[in-house]
Amino acid sequence: MKKLFAITMIFGSMLSAYADIDLKDGFNGQPARTFIRTLDSNERIEVNFLRPQYVEDLMIFAEGRQRRFSFADVYADGELISTLGVPGFDPDYPVVVRGNVQKIEIVARANSRVAIRDFQIFTTPKVYNSYVRLPRSARSDYSLDDWGKHVIDSVYELYYLMRDKGLITEDEYITYIQPMRRLAIRTQASDDARDAESIRTYRKARELAESIKAAEPLFERTLMVMDQHLDMVSIDLLTIMEDISEKYDFDIE
């Protein structure tokens, strides 16, 4: 545990060094205490950009201020993107956004007390990392939350590649892309205190896998063009679907 804690702290320090916006320094004329403070039930922290701003992800350092678990929801322009299940020590919570937003909020749930120790915003787009290039041994230890993060990355990459090549319509975005993204976000917007083998987790896993299966007509469209990157992203999503169904032991027809 000590080794893991040390690695987490080092990782957090590395991210801090490269954060594009660190709210410990204040933001848009507002002092740090506006963002770095303790939230009681239903209180919130708001980060308002002057105009829509691309945000890659967030790193939130939070600490529960009561004996039982505390929970806080993270919103981007009113859309729930993650739920923090905060114990009584100081963990870090990465939250994938990957989109243009104008307002980010952290809201403490009822009967919760959450201290936000640091809040970092990363606005530099990341280089896409292919899922299938990960070692099989590493993928076998993945949780649903890990797969959700990869699906968000892959869906984002797939959509923009297809859009730039004129291969996707607005209706297809609504039919195929939105369900995958929404269900992937739900895997992050879950209570971290919940048992990973619970019925609710199983249901979310199945729904996510089924949303990828339902998008197969979109993957067929990628065969119309000779694009190695587009093929790779499609294969990534289908491989994630297979890995999820294998771990949670269900068939996708």
Side-chain angles (χ1 to χ4, degrees), residues 237-252:
L237 284 165
L238 291 170
T239 305
I240 290 171
M241 178 189 73
E242 292 173 358
D243 286 354
I244 291 174
S245 62
E246 181 178 328
K247 178 166 183 174
Y248 288 93
D249 194 24
F250 55 75
D251 294 324
I252 296 291

Side-chain angles (χ1 to χ4, degrees), residues 124-236:
T124 303
K126 291 180 180 175
V127 175
Y128 179 74
N129 294 313
S130 173
Y131 178 76
V132 296
R133 291 180 179 173
L134 292 170
R136 179 72 182 177
S137 58
R139 286 159 39 194
S140 65
D141 292 330
Y142 263 37
S143 66
L144 184 58
D145 179 69
D146 295 321
W147 279 312
K149 288 182 174 68
H150 269 284
V151 170
I152 290 173
D153 284 347
S154 298
V155 165
Y156 177 92
E157 199 77 9
L158 180 71
Y159 170 68
Y160 281 101
L161 285 170
M162 295 191 76
R163 186 198 64 176
D164 292 346
K165 294 180 181 298
L167 294 174
I168 188 169
T169 66
E170 183 177 350
D171 286 344
E172 288 168 333
Y173 171 81
I174 293 170
T175 301
Y176 301 119
I177 297 293
Q178 273 192 346
M180 286 191 289
R181 181 174 180 271
R182 184 180 68 251
L183 290 166
I185 286 172
R186 282 185 60 203
T187 68
Q188 296 184 73
S190 60
D191 299 347
D192 290 345
R194 189 176 299 278
D195 184 353
E197 303 302 323
S198 70
I199 295 298
R200 183 175 176 181
T201 301
Y202 173 89
R203 185 166 60 247
K204 286 186 177 183
R206 188 175 189 109
E207 288 173 347
L208 180 58
E210 287 174 345
S211 74
I212 298 172
K213 177 68 175 179
E216 280 191 335
L218 210 58
F219 305 144
E220 293 294 327
R221 183 80 53 80
T222 67
L223 299 176
M224 294 170 55
V225 295
M226 295 292 290
D227 189 303
Q228 190 175 15
H229 194 177
L230 200 50
D231 289 343
M232 178 180 65
V233 177
S234 299
I235 292 169
D236 282 345

Side-chain angles (χ1 to χ4, degrees), residues 30-201:
Q30 295 179 295
R33 64 177 178 273
T34 304
F35 312 104
I36 311 302
R37 58 190 176 90
T38 298
L39 300 176
D40 289 311
S41 297
N42 302 314
E43 290 184 341
R44 68 187 59 215
I45 291 170
E46 294 185 5
V47 181
N48 289 288
F49 299 101
L50 298 177
R51 60 185 64 86
Q53 164 73 54
Y54 178 82
V55 175
E56 179 69 30
D57 50 25
L58 314 172
M59 180 62 73
I60 300 168
F61 296 81
E63 180 180 327
R65 303 300 291 168
Q66 56 189 18
R67 287 188 177 181
R68 61 182 180 274
F69 259 78
S70 291
F71 296 94
D73 294 321
V74 184
Y75 296 89
D77 288 342
E79 179 181 1
L80 178 66
I81 59 172
S82 188
T83 295
L84 314 181
V86 186
F89 53 91
D90 190 12
D92 54 298
Y93 297 87
V95 179
V96 176
V97 181
R98 302 208 78 180
N100 292 318
V101 298
Q102 195 152 354
K103 182 166 72 172
I104 296 170
E105 299 170 277
I106 303 177
V107 184
R109 286 190 183 178
N111 303 314
S112 289
R113 197 160 195 260
V114 179
I116 304 301
R117 298 304 188 191
D118 200 359
F119 188 172
Q120 300 168 356
I121 301 173
F122 298 82
T123 60
T124 303
K126 291 180 180 175
V127 175
Y128 179 74
N129 294 313
S130 173
Y131 178 76
V132 296
R133 291 180 179 173
L134 292 170
R136 179 72 182 177
S137 58
R139 286 159 39 194
S140 65
D141 292 330
Y142 263 37
S143 66
L144 184 58
D145 179 69
D146 295 321
W147 279 312
K149 288 182 174 68
H150 269 284
V151 170
I152 290 173
D153 284 347
S154 298
V155 165
Y156 177 92
E157 199 77 9
L158 180 71
Y159 170 68
Y160 281 101
L161 285 170
M162 295 191 76
R163 186 198 64 176
D164 292 346
K165 294 180 181 298
L167 294 174
I168 188 169
T169 66
E170 183 177 350
D171 286 344
E172 288 168 333
Y173 171 81
I174 293 170
T175 301
Y176 301 119
I177 297 293
Q178 273 192 346
M180 286 191 289
R181 181 174 180 271
R182 184 180 68 251
L183 290 166
I185 286 172
R186 282 185 60 203
T187 68
Q188 296 184 73
S190 60
D191 299 347
D192 290 345
R194 189 176 299 278
D195 184 353
E197 303 302 323
S198 70
I199 295 298
R200 183 175 176 181
T201 301

